[in-house]
Amino acid sequence: MPRLADARSDHIDAILRESYALWGAGLGYDAYRAFWNDISDTPWAKRHLRYCVWLDDDGSLLSSLKLYRPRMRLLGTVGGVAGIGAVFTPQSRRCCGHASALIRAVLDEARRRGDIAGCERVVERHLERAEDREGDGQRTEDARSSQGGDDEQE
């Protein structure tokens, strides 16, 4: 059964190797990896950034995302916010619902923690679109290329 976990260094390496062409803004892999190492080492990131992965039974990577957890005031309430970004599924694992399952697991965890899920409606729309694609069985190159990949948009 797939499970939510914190990304290990080898997971992050695999994710960044496959995603740097999409998100690297022209950087080579080494520069992109160094950029993320620098960001991850900041005091803010150590407190508020978590790299989450969705793993299968043998620990293989199915999907990933970055979870930003700043404290915010939203409609008069102060609390943690589950901000989701950089949702990514390896090419070989796409169109199977892994990103949707990961997002649900992260939001469920945020609700249990009592976070204010400020990005929830945007994420719900992503899940609805993903479920529509999965329900129709679409696996066309046109759908992937027009959206920059199935599960990899922020």
Side-chain angles (χ1 to χ4, degrees):
M1 171 146 216
R3 63 186 166 81
L4 175 64
D6 290 332
R8 299 185 318 242
S9 182
D10 59 318
H11 295 138
I12 294 170
D13 284 337
I15 295 160
L16 295 180
R17 281 197 186 281
E18 194 169 338
S19 68
Y20 80 90
L22 175 67
W23 289 323
L27 297 174
Y29 173 75
D30 291 336
Y32 184 57
R33 181 64 162 128
F35 170 73
W36 276 107
N37 286 343
D38 289 347
I39 288 174
S40 298
D41 286 340
T42 66
W44 188 92
K46 288 180 181 189
R47 285 190 315 274
H48 302 292
L49 173 62
R50 178 179 167 206
Y51 224 129
C52 300
V53 291
W54 193 241
L55 304 174
D56 67 9
D57 291 336
D58 68 2
S60 296
L61 178 69
L62 300 173
S63 194
S64 66
L65 59 78
K66 291 177 186 143
L67 176 62
Y68 301 91
R69 295 201 55 245
R71 292 190 55 78
M72 297 181 80
R73 178 180 306 275
L74 181 63
L75 302 174
T77 301
V78 176
V81 174
I84 294 174
V87 178
F88 182 77
T89 300
Q91 185 73 34
S92 64
R93 303 294 190 141
R94 293 185 184 161
C95 297
C96 298
H98 300 307
S100 298
L102 171 59
I103 291 168
R104 279 190 191 94
V106 166
L107 288 178
D108 287 347
E109 183 181 81
R111 283 186 196 103
R112 284 191 301 275
R113 239 188 344 258
D115 285 0
I116 304 166
C119 65
E120 190 165 351
R121 184 61 198 137
V122 173
V123 171
E124 286 173 354
R125 284 194 301 261
H126 167 80
L127 294 175
E128 290 164 2
R129 286 194 317 268
E131 288 167 352
D132 288 345
R133 286 194 310 267
E134 291 162 17
D136 294 341
Q138 292 181 344
R139 292 184 62 105
T140 65
E141 283 299 316
D142 290 341
R144 275 189 236 122
S145 64
S146 70
Q147 297 176 350
D150 278 5
D151 297 328
E152 59 198 13
Q153 295 184 3
E154 284 193 270

